[in-house]
Amino acid sequence: MSDWHDIGTVEDIPRLGARVVQSPQGNIAVFRTAEDEIFALRDRCPHKAGPLSQGIVHGKRVTCPLHSWTLELGTGEAIAPDVGCAARFPVKVEGGRILLQVSAVAAVSDHSAGTLA
Amino acid sequence: MKERLVLIGNGMAGMRTIEELQKVAPQMYDITVFGAEPHGNYNRIMLSPVLAGEKTIPEIMINDLDWYEQNGVTLHAGKDKEIVEINRGRREVRAADGTTVKYDRLLIATGSNPFILPLPGNDLPGVIGFRDIKDVDAMLHAAKTGKHAVVIGGGLLGLEAANGLMKQGLQVTVVHVLDTLMERQLDPFAADMLRKTLEERGLRFLMGAHTAAILGDDKVRGVRFKDGLEVPADIVVMAVGIRPNIELAKKSGIHCERGIVVNDTMQTYDPRVYSVGECVQHRGVCYGLVAPLWEQAKVCASHLAQHGVGRYEGSVTSTKLKVTGIDLFSAGNFNGGPDCEELVLRDPARGVYKKLVVKDNRVQGAVLYGDTVDGTWYFQLLRENTDITAFRETVLFGHAHMADAGREGHSVMSMSDDAEICGCNGVCKGTIVKAITEKKLFTVDDVRAHTKASASCGSCTGLVEQILAATVGNYDATPKEKPMCKCTDHPHDVVRKAIRDEHLTSLESVFKVLNWKTANGCASCRPALNYYLISTWPAEAKDDYQSRFINERVHANIQKDGTYSVVPRMWGGLTNARELRAIADAADKYNVRTVKVTGGQRIDLFGIRKEDLPKIWADLNAAGMVSGHAYGKSLRTVKTCVGSDWCRFGTQDSTGLGVKIEQMTWGSWTPHKFKMAVSGCPRNCAEATIKDFGVVCVDSGYEAHVGGNGGIHVRGTDLLCKLETEEQVLEYCGAFMQLYREEGRYLERTAPWIERVGLEYVKAKIVEDEEGRKALYARFLESQKYAQTDPWAERASAGVDAHEYAPVATIG
Ligand code: SRM
Ligand SMILES: Cc1cc2nc3c(=O)[nH]c(=O)nc-3n(C[C@H](O)[C@H](O)[C@H](O)COP(=O)(O)OP(=O)(O)OC[C@H]3O[C@@H](n4cnc5c(N)ncnc54)[C@H](O)[C@@H]3O)c2cc1C
Ligand code: SF4
Ligand code: FES
């Protein structure tokens, strides 16, 4: 499958911040770290569905705005001792533009670790 | 090849270090552990309950033999595995049975040995210390086969041994050289109360008794005293003190004094050799309790992992007697000393004794007997060096008496497993106990992380501590001032001082100058640093938007479903038909689901979608309304009552004054939220005496009150002073806010701040020092120049942060 969507430039997302992509699969949070790496997770905290896009980004992690769970951006996994995972979406940067894959099966959860792309 | 780490001493400190090391650098070393006891690592302090028949050995194992297997740690355990030689030249250790292992790093954690009095007969079978499982086995055996026990030493350990032996059915005599028990913790009065209670339970005491010899031929038979008295004994337990176990280290040439001398990174004089636990001497101190071990283990592990972070700077310790049904707590320096005073409360009828050792109005130590509920609080006052002047008269009556009437004083152990402990997160007692035992938790922080109990509002912390103490023992100690967060070793005040003294104006410079451990901080330190920067350098530091919590970033309160609530400012709680009409129109237009009058006399509109925020703000702005900052660590509301305008009792124009105060202070960022109120007379309808700054109007002028809040622990204000004019009220208010802005720690409200620094201090700065007050006031007004732009207007019409309110893309 190659349904990569161009969602904008790296600069469209604030450093150490996030923006939302609305999709038929629900909102997806797209994060940018201090080093300009880009990550995409379902915008739903595994705890009580808090919008992760509204959290504080630090290192390669985001802290949920509702009850401060912290998740690894690379895997979507909650930092121990909390247990849970927000689904990841494949994302890449080409020529400064962010490409996001959002097919029905594209979300990679921790259980189906590995890539479906 | 991996480096080799060898641990000598399979006890609490050594193994804790290994566990910490496994957390930070799991693959770094090949680890070999030598232990002289034929067991895994167990919770030594729970030997007392084991002896008393309240716990079993399997229940107190921390790392059983399987753990070593599963974690790839090689364990050599048993008497013949005791290390008898360290060859530092060849970097090799040798056990009694000849086993030799080479090391790259060595960790010595040999604990301590019970001190055995140099008496004739002290080597007879049946004469033991109270230190390990073997000793407990010996005591249990004696209980089955004999009738009498003698315990030499009336300190904590001796009494716990005596209590246990008595519970096992022996007739126990406690022998103590002095006339008072536990003379290191108690004064004669409390010691007498304790002795009476224990006598009622069946213990016998020989006070002021000098032991001359231990009697027996092939095993112990009794004890003889200098005055000729003989007491029969099938077992004699010596609990007269411990000595750091340093023979091995000494023999191998490692520098020792009373203990193995280590520096702040837990390193001995041989840089390859580290040491932790009771065998060490750090900054001249040898510890005999567990609490310091957690800290030492963490620091040591991080240096072994070559992260090279963290320094151990010593601990203040507290302790409890673990005799079921007897509550005894002591902490810090409870003996006093030069310039110390003692505050004492004695209530023999209730069986309560409390003593606080105080120096310059700061708690140095505490002893509590009979009622230990406030132990944690006193320990906190001690650790934080709190000035108690303001509540010195009542401090002995406890925290409940002062402030938080809602606190429960009853014992948590009588609660059932399904009793709710943490109301915020719905955590029951059973869940907490299970997590503590299954996940091997030892500190309140651990329990918080794993169960969320006491992780939100914190009012159940005392209960959690009690459960922890009952389950694994009491280890309550931390270094004096906690670091801001895991990204740094510096506490708040140090960071703040550096920002001021070094003229740091950006996060990057703070990270660099103070050697932050993370590249860009975390969700806990970044908001704090941002506040310190903008409050210290209002004209220079740039507000770091990404370091603000979402509410402050989008100037509205996030709700549990991800929508927002919007609270427009209503100056002093006043509104009018035009504003209400505009609010009603906005409520219709943006499908507001709930309209509610708040506890702060404003109107809250709930359920706004983020995309609609700038639009609703534009509408409210058009009607003359601005942000109410209900979302910020900032000035919130100034509540007022109607005052002299209408009320038959009103003495001054409380409404008008409230409006003036709010106009002066709105937009100001503060360490935590800041609330005010003005009441028109002492009937106090605006509840001014539970506000951060409250004004109560009286006939002759105005009373300025400070440091109150509602919330979890209600605290009534302290009277700062009386004032005559509105201008004075404004000046004192601005100066007070500025002092708090400059000195309060982030997320510390004025109530805990004042309890920490003392009302006298605040009075000295605000009331007595006119020049200082005026300077504070001037700095406040200066910083307001940069703060008083309506954040809603900027976003509704000037396009500030527009990206925040729109999706970056929409797919499908
Ligand atoms: C809306 C309101 C309840 C209401 O419907 O009346 C409210 C709502 C919240 N309060 Fe409150 N508090 C409200 C008045 C109060 C009051 C009463 C008052 O201001 O006179 C108190 C007790 C007085 C006090 O603060 O001393 C109060 C004590 C708290 C506390 C405990 C503060 C403390 O120092 O212990 C918190 C927790 C915190 O801030 O950490 C809190 C936190 C909250 C939060 C921010 C919880 C959160 O993080 O989501 C709620 C935000 C709701 C929202 O999205 O708007 N709220 N809260 C009130 C808004 C007042 C306003 O107009 O701005
Ligand atoms: C009955 C009792 C009750 C206590 N109650 C409390 C309490 O309520 N609160 C509190 O804070 N503290 C309490 N303590 C003190 C607490 O147990 C100690 O502070 C703690 O265990 C010290 O840990 P450590 O690792 O330094 O020493 P240990 O836990 O003693 O571990 C040292 C280990 O090293 C082994 N060892 C020694 N030499 C060698 C060698 N040459 N080769 C191999 N192995 C060796 C020993 O056999 C031992 O297993 C209590 C202690 C006892 C005995
Ligand atoms: S509004 Fe205040 S009291 Fe009510 S649930 Fe929220 S935080 Fe608790
Ligand atoms: S919803 Fe994210 S922490 Fe609770």
Side-chain angles (χ1 to χ4, degrees):
Chain A
M1 269 173 292
S2 60
D3 43 356
W4 291 98
H5 297 270
D6 183 332
I7 57 160
T9 68
V10 173
E11 278 67 43
D12 287 340
I13 301 174
R15 272 215 177 101
L16 290 175
R19 300 277 306 267
V20 168
V21 172
Q22 294 177 329
S23 85
Q25 254 103 126
N27 284 356
I28 299 166
V30 183
F31 302 89
R32 176 177 173 196
T33 67
E35 284 80 39
D36 291 345
E37 295 147 298
I38 303 289
F39 296 95
L41 298 178
R42 185 183 299 290
D43 197 14
R44 265 175 76 88
C45 177
H47 178 222
K48 291 191 175 170
L52 297 171
S53 56
Q54 317 291 292
I56 290 183
V57 179
H58 46 99
K60 285 184 207 187
R61 293 174 174 183
V62 62
T63 298
C64 176
L66 292 197
H67 318 97
S68 300
W69 279 32
T70 298
L71 275 66
E72 222 39 274
L73 292 176
T75 60
E77 295 271 7
I79 302 295
D82 296 322
V83 180
C85 183
R88 285 175 289 143
F89 288 85
V91 64
K92 61 186 177 187
V93 178
E94 279 175 9
R97 299 207 67 88
I98 304 174
L99 302 178
L100 177 71
Q101 203 180 46
V102 197
S103 66
V105 287
V108 185
S109 83
D110 62 332
H111 306 296
S112 60
T115 168
L116 300 169
Chain B
M1 211 182 75
K2 279 201 217 170
E3 297 222 317
R4 290 157 303 187
L5 172 67
V6 170
L7 163 63
I8 308 177
N10 188 23
M12 298 189 72
M15 284 311 296
R16 181 71 180 189
T17 310
I18 300 296
E19 291 217 42
E20 292 285 353
L21 180 63
Q22 301 274 49
K23 273 192 236 161
V24 290
Q27 297 301 331
M28 190 155 164
Y29 290 100
D30 262 333
I31 303 175
T32 307
V33 178
F34 284 90
E37 296 184 67
H39 311 281
N41 170 37
Y42 58 91
N43 185 348
R44 194 171 304 282
I45 85 170
M46 295 312 262
L47 287 178
S48 302
V50 169
L51 180 63
E54 293 162 3
K55 293 257 174 201
T56 63
I57 296 289
E59 280 175 337
I60 69 165
M61 289 311 294
I62 305 174
N63 308 95
D64 55 17
L65 298 174
D66 287 348
W67 182 94
Y68 293 85
E69 279 271 343
Q70 281 156 17
N71 288 272
V73 173
T74 311
L75 172 66
H76 298 285
K79 192 64 208 151
D80 55 342
K81 300 294 182 185
E82 178 171 337
I83 295 297
V84 292
E85 191 197 342
I86 303 171
N87 187 326
R88 291 194 295 134
R90 294 170 46 186
R91 284 198 255 132
E92 191 174 271
V93 297
R94 184 167 56 82
D97 69 349
T99 312
T100 51
V101 173
K102 287 195 175 293
Y103 65 81
D104 297 299
R105 308 261 157 192
L106 180 66
L107 177 58
I108 305 179
T110 44
S112 46
N113 292 321
F115 181 62
I116 301 292
L117 291 171
L119 296 171
N122 68 5
D123 54 352
L124 283 169
V127 180
I128 58 168
F130 184 15
R131 183 71 196 174
D132 52 29
I133 292 183
K134 175 171 57 52
D135 297 331
V136 173
D137 284 344
M139 288 190 248
L140 293 176
H141 178 75
K144 284 208 195 81
T145 54
K147 282 203 191 67
H148 300 279
V150 170
V151 174
I152 305 182
L156 269 175
L157 205 57
L159 292 181
E160 288 184 10
N163 177 64
L165 288 164
M166 179 178 68
K167 287 242 173 121
Q168 296 296 341
L170 288 172
Q171 169 67 54
V172 185
T173 307
V174 177
V175 180
H176 198 50
V177 265
L178 298 178
D179 286 327
T180 54
L181 290 178
M182 291 183 58
E183 70 284 352
R184 302 198 326 127
Q185 279 91 349
L186 302 180
D187 69 6
F189 184 87
D192 267 3
M193 294 204 317
L194 175 64
R195 199 184 76 202
K196 286 208 188 86
T197 314
L198 291 170
E199 272 170 352
E200 279 162 22
R201 292 179 170 209
L203 284 184
R204 282 181 47 196
F205 288 92
L206 285 176
M207 306 302 289
H210 293 265
T211 319
I214 308 215
L215 310 173
D217 305 319
D218 51 352
K219 73 185 273 301
V220 65
R221 172 168 62 74
V223 176
R224 183 182 325 119
F225 296 91
K226 289 220 170 107
D227 60 3
L229 177 75
E230 285 188 12
V231 175
D234 300 298
I235 188 150
V236 173
V237 181
M238 298 241 191
V240 288
I242 52 170
R243 297 284 178 277
N245 184 2
I246 58 174
E247 284 324 306
L248 177 68
K250 232 182 185 164
K251 224 169 51 188
S252 63
I254 292 169
H255 179 59
C256 298
E257 288 170 10
R258 271 182 311 132
I260 302 172
V261 177
V262 294
N263 63 17
D264 286 1
T265 64
M266 306 316 292
Q267 208 168 26
T268 67
Y269 275 58
D270 178 340
R272 287 190 178 270
V273 183
Y274 289 77
S275 186
V276 290
E278 282 187 349
C279 56
V280 310
Q281 176 180 332
H282 170 264
R283 297 192 183 180
V285 181
C286 297
Y287 293 97
L289 291 168
V290 168
L293 307 185
W294 307 141
E295 203 68 22
Q296 293 178 356
K298 216 180 219 136
V299 170
C300 184
S302 98
H303 287 276
L304 283 171
Q306 287 169 13
H307 290 192
V309 292
R311 286 158 43 124
Y312 177 66
E313 302 185 329
S315 306
V316 187
T317 53
S318 71
T319 167
K320 282 190 179 139
L321 179 69
K322 300 189 299 297
V323 171
T324 307
I326 295 183
D327 292 326
L328 180 71
F329 169 93
S330 69
N333 165 17
F334 37 73
N335 286 319
D339 309 324
C340 286
E341 306 164 85
E342 290 183 0
L343 309 185
V344 178
L345 180 149
R346 290 175 184 168
D347 185 344
R350 275 204 306 139
V352 171
Y353 170 85
K354 297 181 174 189
K355 174 168 96 176
L356 290 185
V357 175
V358 172
K359 189 171 170 183
D360 298 332
N361 278 320
R362 286 163 213 273
V363 176
Q364 309 292 310
V367 179
L368 308 177
Y369 178 74
D371 173 1
T372 54
V373 176
D374 283 300
T376 322
W377 181 51
Y378 294 137
F379 196 43
Q380 187 188 340
L381 295 177
L382 186 157
R383 266 184 344 222
E384 302 193 338
N385 206 23
T386 307
D387 183 342
I388 62 161
T389 315
F391 49 97
R392 187 178 153 127
E393 304 100 88
T394 56
V395 67
L396 283 172
F397 298 126
H399 204 196
H401 180 87
M402 281 196 35
D404 47 347
R407 219 159 60 119
E408 291 143 275
H410 54 267
S411 163
V412 72
M413 289 339 281
S414 57
M415 293 181 175
S416 65
D417 271 358
D418 56 6
E420 184 174 82
I421 302 292
C422 173
C424 292
N425 298 308
V427 190
C428 300
K429 180 183 151 192
T431 314
I432 299 175
V433 172
K434 188 155 169 264
I436 292 173
T437 37
E438 283 181 2
K439 308 229 166 93
K440 295 187 279 186
L441 312 181
F442 287 97
T443 63
V444 175
D445 279 344
D446 287 344
V447 175
R448 230 172 246 150
H450 282 267
T451 66
K452 302 289 176 236
S454 108
S456 296
C457 80
S459 65
C460 62
T461 306
L463 293 177
V464 172
E465 272 167 356
Q466 282 185 36
I467 297 179
L468 198 57
T471 315
V472 290
N474 178 64
Y475 304 113
D476 192 18
T478 37
K480 280 210 129 173
E481 272 193 56
K482 282 197 178 157
M484 271 182 77
C485 68
K486 292 196 178 111
C487 304
T488 177
D489 295 326
H490 301 300
H492 282 265
D493 295 349
V494 171
V495 173
R496 190 130 201 215
K497 188 164 179 306
I499 289 176
R500 200 179 309 118
D501 295 354
E502 315 276 324
H503 202 119
L504 308 179
T505 58
S506 69
L507 286 169
E508 290 68 38
S509 55
V510 174
F511 292 154
K512 205 162 135 228
V513 171
L514 294 172
N515 285 322
W516 232 245
K517 295 182 209 167
T518 46
N520 36 51
C522 70
S524 143
C525 62
R526 280 229 313 269
L529 292 176
N530 186 52
Y531 168 73
Y532 292 150
L533 288 165
I534 59 172
S535 60
T536 312
W537 306 108
E540 293 167 66
K542 194 169 157 293
D543 190 8
D544 184 56
Y545 170 84
Q546 295 299 353
S547 294
R548 286 196 179 261
F549 182 66
I550 183 66
N551 285 0
E552 294 187 352
R553 210 181 321 144
V554 301
H555 298 275
N557 296 60
I558 195 165
Q559 302 297 321
K560 62 185 210 179
D561 63 354
T563 64
Y564 288 82
S565 79
V566 166
V567 185
R569 195 164 285 289
M570 288 178 173
W571 308 97
L574 287 175
T575 184
N576 54 43
R578 187 174 46 85
E579 285 183 356
L580 291 174
R581 213 169 279 124
I583 289 176
D585 288 344
D588 281 343
K589 189 163 158 194
Y590 300 99
N591 295 318
V592 167
R593 281 180 274 151
T594 304
V595 181
K596 182 181 179 305
V597 174
T598 70
Q601 296 185 341
R602 307 293 183 264
I603 290 179
D604 203 343
L605 305 167
F606 287 92
I608 318 282
R609 298 186 318 151
K610 197 179 181 195
E611 304 86 280
D612 287 338
L613 287 173
K615 293 180 227 158
I616 190 171
W617 292 337
D619 290 5
L620 294 169
N621 277 165
M625 281 177 278
V626 296
S627 162
H629 288 81
Y631 47 78
K633 306 298 172 224
S634 60
L635 185 267
R636 288 286 178 91
T637 63
V638 182
K639 303 211 298 192
T640 67
C641 71
V642 283
S644 57
D645 262 3
W646 294 94
C647 178
R648 63 201 164 108
F649 295 117
T651 60
Q652 312 280 352
D653 176 14
S654 50
T655 326
L657 178 56
V659 172
K660 282 183 199 152
I661 293 178
E662 191 159 354
Q663 278 168 345
M664 172 178 83
T665 54
W666 75 273
S668 166
W669 299 109
T670 41
H672 203 311
K673 57 192 175 189
F674 195 95
K675 299 181 177 183
M676 298 199 256
V678 186
S679 285
C681 84
R683 285 169 196 76
N684 195 11
C685 298
E687 299 161 337
T689 48
I690 54 156
K691 291 288 169 270
D692 296 279
F693 187 87
V695 180
V696 175
C697 301
V698 288
D699 206 47
S700 58
Y702 308 85
E703 288 174 5
H705 294 262
V706 294
N709 67 203
I712 297 151
H713 299 306
V714 179
R715 182 181 197 273
T717 45
D718 295 309
L719 177 65
L720 182 69
C721 60
K722 276 190 67 176
L723 300 169
E724 282 163 16
T725 64
E726 289 195 341
E727 287 62 43
Q728 280 181 324
V729 173
L730 289 171
E731 177 177 319
Y732 278 66
C733 168
F736 175 75
M737 260 183 103
Q738 186 63 15
L739 186 65
Y740 169 58
R741 278 166 45 86
E742 290 177 6
E743 300 186 6
R745 296 174 190 156
Y746 193 66
L747 295 189
E748 175 182 54
R749 254 186 107 172
T750 56
W753 171 63
I754 284 193
E755 288 192 359
R756 178 165 65 81
V757 300
L759 177 65
E760 292 313 311
Y761 172 81
V762 176
K763 278 189 174 163
K765 291 272 184 180
I766 307 283
V767 185
E768 283 140 36
D769 176 3
E770 185 183 339
E771 220 174 287
R773 176 180 68 244
K774 293 209 180 310
L776 280 166
Y777 184 47
R779 287 205 292 283
F780 179 75
L781 295 179
E782 165 70 15
S783 84
Q784 283 298 78
K785 285 193 204 154
Y786 306 92
Q788 290 195 323
T789 36
D790 176 25
W792 288 0
E794 287 181 321
R795 284 155 185 80
S797 43
V800 171
D801 299 336
H803 65 269
E804 185 68 60
Y805 304 93
V808 65
T810 302
I811 296 173

